[in-house]
Amino acid sequence: MKATGYDGLSSRAVAEPELREFLSRCFEIAEHELASAVFYTHGEVSGHFAMSFSVGIEGRLAERVGRHEFARRFAAHFDAFVLYGDTEPPGQWTVVLPDGSSLLAAMEEGEDHYELYAASAPIPGLLDLRPL
């Protein structure tokens, strides 16, 4: 079965047990299926984000939960803002806020360091962003 992946950044670091539980609930699968239907990695980053994540899933699960819906659920569940890329203009990313709203943003990135510098709408807690 075809697989796909959801990569992103979260403003909140999530412990592995919490992440496993979320993935199981999000994709409506038993936790033991995580090893076969869902593969994930995550790591610590700095800047405006605390964690990077990469979630590989079987195609049937992508039909249940698309990329934007996954980011929306993650942001709401963990009370975080989540950045991901899909079909945005070059140099821009989608940011989903905990309330489910989304906006476009631009960022500078270095080795595991991610700083937003512009956004199409305000992001709570990030006061120095210029308009996009």
Side-chain angles (χ1 to χ4, degrees):
M1 187 167 277
K2 187 176 179 182
T4 191
Y6 302 157
D7 300 327
L9 298 169
S10 168
S11 63
R12 178 177 174 247
V14 177
E16 180 133 359
E18 289 179 280
L19 184 58
R20 290 180 62 82
E21 178 185 346
F22 168 75
L23 292 171
S24 178
R25 284 182 167 196
C26 181
F27 292 110
E28 300 173 4
I29 59 174
E31 192 165 334
H32 72 272
E33 287 184 87
L34 287 176
S36 58
V38 177
F39 172 80
Y40 64 93
T41 60
H42 59 93
E44 186 177 318
V45 298
S46 63
H48 289 139
F49 298 93
M51 181 180 97
S52 65
F53 61 83
S54 181
V55 178
I57 59 174
E58 285 184 354
R60 68 183 171 96
L61 299 179
E63 293 170 9
R64 287 185 196 169
V65 182
R67 183 171 278 116
H68 182 77
E69 179 62 16
F70 176 81
R72 190 191 68 73
R73 290 180 185 188
F74 192 107
H77 186 84
F78 294 114
D79 192 27
F81 55 89
V82 174
L83 177 140
Y84 74 96
D86 194 11
T87 59
E88 303 82 5
Q92 296 181 11
W93 304 89
T94 296
V95 175
V96 179
L97 303 178
D99 68 4
S101 63
S102 61
L103 55 104
L104 291 176
M107 76 173 166
E108 293 179 359
E109 54 187 296
E111 190 171 324
D112 293 330
H113 185 84
Y114 303 90
E115 292 276 339
L116 298 175
Y117 63 85
S120 61
I123 298 176
L126 301 182
L127 304 176
D128 295 337
L129 300 180
R130 71 175 199 246
L132 188 60

